[in-house]
Amino acid sequence: MYNEPMSMRIGSRGIARALNTLSSAGPMTNSAIAAGAVTRLRRAARWSEPYVESLSGLPEAAKIAASPVLVLDRHSFALQTARALDTIAPIYELRELRDRAITIRALSRRATGLWDPRVKARVLIAPNVLAAAHAHSLDQNDWCKWVALRVGLEGLIVHKAPNLVDPTLENTAFLARLLLVDALLDALMLRLTPADLSSVLWIRNFGPKSSIRTLASALLLDSSIPQTELFRAYEDYRRISQEIVSSNSLGPALDALSRNEDPFPDFARKGPEATTPPTPTSPRV
């Protein structure tokens, strides 16, 4: 009887608050280093705004440039994530609470930045950006620019095709669309050269996996599809995304998606076979 659907939603904010009591808001560091990370991220967000338009070729980039930039610690981001997940994927069953807790915990510990479609804001997680820079020997200024730019591009894609985060999608289709967004971001970020970002090749090859990939991995708990199968779909998305970006067809492709005329392989319909997970060679946040 404990798996029967509930007649009302179970909020995620209580889960986030409970998790926050068991973890720190960020890695151990002094206030000057923490303040420096926040300053670099805000500066990087301003730097990224013209690149969102130049890399995408879409005039709607101006709306992203005008969007708020939220620089948060892990605790604040956990609460922000909980509110967004309650909007995108509300919980109705008690058995889903554990999976939601794992999702929030994974994102608050590892995500560096995400677009929040609920408040239409660029969200940057300063402690995780700082920790990733140290863990992967990244240039901190370049790394902050990379994270801010990728989040801005993510916001543009979701703004043009909001049904990519449609809460009515069943879980497997929602996961597939997250990976589709990730593949489009990888293709767009491939347009960056060392003239734009001096350490871009190092970040591309040695940086951590993307925040969207972290989210998709956590949400796989709710899916009956093995991770190897879902990430095989990403390889198809990556190939087609690179073709779309190289042919300057991003706008029409996103317009088609917004009308549910999906120009990409439909993972949920085709049901890909299990295979070895791909080794990403494209940019990652």
Side-chain angles (χ1 to χ4, degrees):
M1 64 179 176
Y2 296 106
N3 289 333
E4 293 180 359
M6 303 287 290
S7 59
M8 60 185 295
R9 294 186 182 184
I10 305 169
S12 299
R13 278 175 287 181
I15 298 173
R17 284 191 288 267
L19 290 172
N20 285 347
T21 65
L22 303 174
S23 63
S24 63
M28 294 297 294
T29 188
N30 63 53
S31 58
I33 292 175
V38 172
T39 299
R40 281 191 297 272
L41 282 169
R42 292 199 179 279
R43 189 165 55 235
R46 292 191 296 270
W47 170 90
S48 71
E49 289 165 0
Y51 277 91
V52 172
E53 182 171 3
S54 63
L55 295 183
S56 68
L58 300 179
E60 292 87 350
K63 294 184 179 295
I64 305 306
S67 68
V69 177
L70 307 179
V71 182
L72 305 179
D73 63 17
R74 287 172 178 167
H75 287 175
S76 298
F77 179 62
L79 292 169
Q80 184 92 0
T81 301
R83 287 189 287 266
L85 288 174
D86 275 344
T87 300
I88 295 172
I91 296 176
Y92 292 100
E93 299 183 6
L94 288 174
R95 63 181 176 83
E96 297 173 333
L97 289 175
R98 171 182 170 273
D99 295 345
R100 179 57 50 86
I102 292 174
T103 298
I104 293 173
R105 181 173 182 269
L107 284 174
S108 63
R109 290 182 63 185
R110 295 196 292 274
T112 53
L114 287 167
W115 172 259
D116 187 338
R118 185 182 62 90
V119 296
K120 295 179 174 56
R122 293 167 281 174
V123 181
L124 308 173
I125 306 92
N128 294 349
V129 172
L130 183 62
H134 290 158
H136 298 272
S137 301
L138 306 175
D139 177 277
Q140 291 198 34
N141 287 320
D142 282 3
W143 174 235
C144 287
K145 291 175 180 178
W146 174 281
V147 171
L149 175 56
R150 190 168 175 115
V151 172
L153 289 168
E154 178 190 335
L156 178 60
I157 289 171
V158 173
H159 171 76
K160 282 281 289 180
N163 54 348
L164 287 171
V165 289
D166 183 355
T168 65
L169 289 171
E170 59 90 20
N171 193 51
T172 301
F174 182 68
L175 284 168
R177 291 199 172 199
L178 283 180
L179 293 180
L180 187 156
V181 173
D182 205 43
L184 285 169
L185 291 173
D186 283 351
L188 287 167
M189 295 293 280
L190 277 173
R191 290 186 156 184
L192 282 179
T193 71
D196 305 305
L197 212 57
S198 60
S199 62
V200 65
L201 298 180
W202 182 271
I203 296 173
R204 185 173 293 155
N205 290 305
F206 301 108
K209 74 178 181 180
S210 74
S211 298
I212 291 179
R213 202 82 57 83
T214 297
L215 173 58
S217 296
L219 290 176
L220 273 169
L221 291 167
D222 288 332
S223 175
S224 60
I225 305 298
Q227 179 170 326
T228 52
E229 294 189 21
L230 196 61
F231 281 96
R232 179 178 181 269
Y234 168 78
E235 284 294 276
D236 292 332
Y237 295 150
R238 185 173 65 135
R239 173 180 51 81
I240 293 176
S241 294
Q242 288 176 359
E243 294 174 1
I244 286 172
V245 169
S246 64
S247 63
N248 296 315
S249 301
L250 180 62
L254 292 176
D255 288 339
L257 271 169
S258 70
R259 298 189 299 269
N260 288 317
E261 299 170 2
D262 197 340
F264 302 94
D266 187 337
F267 169 74
R269 184 172 61 246
K270 293 174 67 175
E273 301 171 355
T275 187
T276 304
T279 301
T281 56
S282 50
R284 299 165 293 175
V285 170

